[in-house]
Amino acid sequence: MDSSLFTLRSSLKVTLLGTGTSGGVPSLGCHCKVCGSNDPRDKRMRCVALIESDTTRVLIDCGPDIRQQLMPLPFKPLDAILLTHIHYDHVGGIDDLRPFSVFGPIRLYGDKKTCEHVRQIMPYCFGEHLYPGVPKLELHDAEPHVPLHIGNLTIVPIQVMHGKMPILGFRIGSFAYITDMKTIGDGELPYLEGVETLVVNALRFEKEHHSHQLVYEAIEFARRIGAKRTYITHVCHHIGLYDEAQRRMPEGVTLAYDGEVICCPQPPTV
């Protein structure tokens, strides 16, 4: 691969606004020790990440908790929203971004299928005669391996498999964000060479799932691509209490939590 695709002129700040699975944690109606925990690290909203360079702000996904997740942050423009796939826990908060329309159109990037489905679930946002106040949305196709140039970021989409469903992960410099993955094709691995910091999904430790990795699978994947730091996201309450689960992680692997900030130094531009 051409290494110049993956370089960046400045460091990245990655804020994990949500690290939970589709139902969030605590889970409705559950009285397990995790759902009843007072440790804030055991409370998880749906998966969203905010990526910031010195000039550019990008969201990865926009789930149904997005209003609550963005409320504590400075109200500043978002240069793009990168969508991994169409499932509700990853797109259910798009309408809540309407206040950002004061800065101009809200630019959404996803694969062709995701963009088509956004049009289907939000038809009131597209067409000639829009209802006053609807979010101003722009849909942009993102294709695996075709770089997106957003602000001073070069973002390379990666294709992974969510069960039988192809979805997108994203690489920015030496950082990669992948969620809802079960498997990945060998042809994608060259696009992850040189990744040092990885955020990747793992639902729980035990009990196989048809479309999500378990912790051991995420660890094997991280080792396969040579990541130096790995953060586990998109977890459910079956992962266990934070402190207990973290003690089960090998060196270099961290159970992520909501609000965690990761600083990713980037290599100089080649």
Side-chain angles (χ1 to χ4, degrees):
M1 293 297 101
D2 181 358
S3 63
S4 65
L5 290 179
F6 306 129
T7 55
L8 182 68
R9 297 181 188 278
S10 61
S11 62
L12 286 181
K13 175 184 176 183
V14 178
T15 305
L16 301 179
L17 300 179
T19 58
T21 191
S22 57
V25 183
S27 180
L28 278 170
C30 183
H31 303 287
C32 74
K33 62 182 181 179
V34 175
C35 290
S37 171
N38 291 321
D39 188 337
R41 297 172 298 178
D42 289 322
K43 301 183 186 303
R44 301 178 183 277
M45 291 185 277
R46 269 62 73 91
C47 270
V48 172
L50 176 65
I51 315 298
E52 298 176 281
S53 69
D54 54 350
T55 64
T56 306
R57 301 174 83 227
V58 172
L59 278 181
I60 301 181
D61 285 333
C62 183
D65 301 316
I66 195 64
R67 178 181 175 276
Q68 184 178 352
Q69 291 164 322
L70 291 177
M71 191 66 73
L73 304 180
F75 183 62
K76 300 191 296 185
L78 294 168
D79 296 283
I81 292 85
L82 309 175
L83 301 177
T84 59
H85 61 299
I86 194 57
H87 286 168
Y88 179 77
D89 55 317
H90 296 267
V91 302
I94 291 175
D95 191 272
D96 285 340
L97 296 180
R98 64 174 63 194
F100 290 91
S101 294
V102 300
F103 301 115
I106 297 165
R107 298 175 178 87
L108 306 172
Y109 293 79
D111 62 23
K112 185 176 181 180
K113 186 175 181 180
T114 297
C115 289
E116 289 175 352
H117 285 178
V118 170
R119 288 183 180 274
Q120 292 172 10
I121 65 176
M122 303 182 72
Y124 57 93
C125 294
F126 303 96
E128 294 183 5
H129 305 289
L130 300 180
Y131 186 83
V134 300
K136 302 173 184 176
L137 304 181
E138 282 186 2
L139 292 174
H140 300 268
D141 286 345
E143 299 180 16
H145 318 147
V146 179
L148 304 171
H149 300 285
I150 299 171
N152 70 341
L153 301 181
T154 297
I155 302 165
V156 180
I158 309 295
Q159 186 176 88
V160 303
M161 298 302 296
H162 183 22
K164 296 181 179 180
M165 177 183 181
I167 66 173
L168 295 180
F170 298 98
R171 176 176 180 169
I172 309 171
S174 62
F175 168 77
Y177 183 96
I178 297 173
T179 188
D180 287 49
M181 179 175 76
K182 180 62 177 179
T183 59
I184 184 170
D186 289 342
E188 300 298 311
L189 298 180
Y191 294 92
L192 293 167
E193 290 177 1
V195 164
E196 297 183 356
T197 304
L198 171 69
V199 175
V200 68
N201 64 293
L203 201 60
R204 53 196 177 224
F205 285 100
E206 292 90 18
K207 193 178 178 183
E208 294 291 328
H209 193 276
H210 69 282
S211 63
H212 288 274
Q213 293 185 125
L214 300 188
V215 171
Y216 82 89
E217 293 171 303
I219 292 170
E220 288 178 358
F221 170 68
R223 288 173 174 166
R224 191 177 178 190
I225 67 170
K228 296 179 180 178
R229 300 187 297 167
T230 299
Y231 295 83
I232 303 296
T233 191
H234 206 288
V235 303
C236 71
H237 55 157
H238 297 123
I239 197 82
L241 293 170
Y242 182 88
D243 285 333
E244 295 176 2
Q246 182 55 46
R247 285 195 290 270
R248 298 177 66 179
M249 300 292 176
E251 184 177 359
V253 179
T254 299
L255 179 58
Y257 57 85
D258 287 18
E260 186 163 13
V261 176
I262 305 168
C263 294
C264 303
Q266 298 293 314
T269 301
V270 174

